Amino acid sequence: GIVSLGDAVGKDNNTYAGIDRSTATYWRPYVNDNGGTNRSLTEALLNDVYNTLADVRGAYVTEVWCGTTAYEALKTLILNGKVAYPETKIANGGTTQVFWNGIPFLRIPNLDVNAMYWLDMESDEGIVLYRQHDTDFIVREENTSSYDNRWTIAGHYQLVTHNPFRQGALLDVQ
């Protein structure tokens, strides 16, 4: 079956893809967590995850997927001048797009709100989202009580992690 991003990248002591990570250290992602207790996001935490992935593990971080609370915490740090190498851009619709150290941070709906997943989406050792079938889309009309009908289009994708060792997670941040 399809494994969630949290299982693939947000845990370092589970069995993933049939490999027990408690003994196979080459298959463990880097996870910086606080035992389930939320803590304030700091530049030191950002540097820890980035430096461990880039310098120690040889990873190429291309983007960071964030839950809502984690994303807002980073945006607040950047807009208040509390981190080095910040960048913000105004995207379509007037929303603020956040970068740190040249890496885009993306707010992802329905992701653990206190999580940041540091991903390599470009190299052969990264994460890939494969569409399972050319016709594997669902179009569904949702009747509402208003004058507008809403349509939902859903694609079915499979998350493939080529090398979890080069992925990371910063968890329990607010």
Side-chain angles (χ1 to χ4, degrees), residues 70-161:
Y71 182 85
E72 288 300 323
L74 178 65
K75 193 166 115 176
T76 299
L77 279 178
I78 288 174
L79 294 176
N80 290 333
K82 301 288 185 187
V83 295
Y85 315 114
E87 183 181 349
T88 58
K89 294 180 182 176
I90 303 300
N92 291 341
T95 61
T96 302
Q97 188 174 11
V98 176
F99 293 77
W100 174 79
N101 206 17
I103 303 167
F105 283 68
L106 309 171
R107 181 190 306 211
I108 305 296
N110 302 318
L111 199 62
D112 175 5
V113 296
N114 301 102
M116 294 179 159
Y117 296 105
W118 299 62
L119 308 174
D120 172 357
M121 300 292 287
E122 294 180 9
S123 80
D124 292 340
E125 303 240 351
I127 290 184
V128 181
L129 294 173
Y130 289 113
R131 201 166 99 207
Q132 291 182 331
H133 306 288
D134 288 339
T135 60
D136 202 13
F137 285 97
I138 298 170
V139 179
R140 180 176 64 227
E141 181 178 12
E142 298 176 9
N143 293 320
T144 64
S145 59
S146 67
Y147 292 104
D148 297 325
N149 285 341
R150 295 191 179 148
W151 294 84
T152 301
I153 301 174
H156 291 233
Y157 289 82
Q158 182 174 7
L159 174 72
V160 177
T161 308

Side-chain angles (χ1 to χ4, degrees), residues 21-91:
R21 293 199 249 203
S22 64
T23 57
T25 58
Y26 64 88
W27 202 243
R28 286 184 194 161
Y30 178 68
V31 178
N32 181 322
D33 67 2
N34 198 35
T37 301
N38 290 333
R39 62 208 160 149
S40 295
L41 180 63
T42 64
E43 186 172 24
L45 289 171
L46 297 171
N47 281 320
D48 173 71
V49 177
Y50 179 79
N51 292 336
T52 300
L53 289 173
D55 298 340
V56 176
R57 295 177 175 229
Y60 177 62
V61 178
T62 60
E63 55 195 65
V64 179
W65 292 6
C66 302
T68 304
T69 302
Y71 182 85
E72 288 300 323
L74 178 65
K75 193 166 115 176
T76 299
L77 279 178
I78 288 174
L79 294 176
N80 290 333
K82 301 288 185 187
V83 295
Y85 315 114
E87 183 181 349
T88 58
K89 294 180 182 176
I90 303 300

